[in-house]
C-alpha cells in the first residue's frame, strides 16, 4: 500500500477531512501550509518522512518498521 492510500484510509477511519488535518498540523507545528500543498505532496509521493510522522501523530498513530524474514 502507498502512503497516499494509507493516509486516505486513516482519514476515513478517523472521520477527518484533509482540511481539518492541515488545520491541526498548522496549529500544532506553528506554520501556514495550504491544503493544496499537502494534497499535491501526498498525490505525487513527495511527502517527506518527517511530514508523514507529523500526520500520523496528529491522527493518533505511529509509523512502525517491522522486519520481514
Amino acid at each position: 500500500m502507498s502512503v497516499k492510500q494509507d493516509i486516505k484510509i486513516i482519514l476515513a477511519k478517523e472521520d477527518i477531512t484533509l482540511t481539518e488535518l492541515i488545520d491541526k498540523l498548522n496549529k500544532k507545528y506553528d506554520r501556514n501550509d495550504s491544503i493544496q500543498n499537502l494534497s499535491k505532496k501526498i498525490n505525487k509521493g513527495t511527502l517527506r518522512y518527517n511530514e508523514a510522522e507529523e500526520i500520523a501523530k496528529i491522527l493518533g498513530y505511529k509509523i512502525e518498521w517491522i522486519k520481514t524474514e
Side-chain angles (χ1 to χ4, degrees), residues 3 31 34 39 45 47 51-52 57 59-61 65 67-68:
V3 172
R31 52 184 185 225
S34 69
S39 181
L47 192 70
E51 292 170 322
K57 192 172 190 174
L59 296 172
Y61 290 78
W65 292 49
K67 184 173 173 96
T68 58

Side-chain angles (χ1 to χ4, degrees), residues 7 11 16-42 47 51 54-55 58-59:
I7 290 172
L11 287 174
I16 185 171
T17 66
L18 201 53
T19 302
E20 292 169 323
L21 174 63
I22 196 70
D23 287 343
K24 289 179 180 196
L25 285 166
N26 283 339
K27 191 174 191 178
K28 179 165 179 110
Y29 296 103
D30 193 30
R31 52 184 185 225
N32 195 25
D33 291 338
S34 69
I35 188 169
Q36 293 84 3
N37 187 36
L38 179 60
S39 181
K40 196 182 295 186
K41 285 180 180 183
I42 292 170
L47 192 70
E51 292 170 322
E54 291 172 353
I55 290 170
I58 288 290
L59 296 172

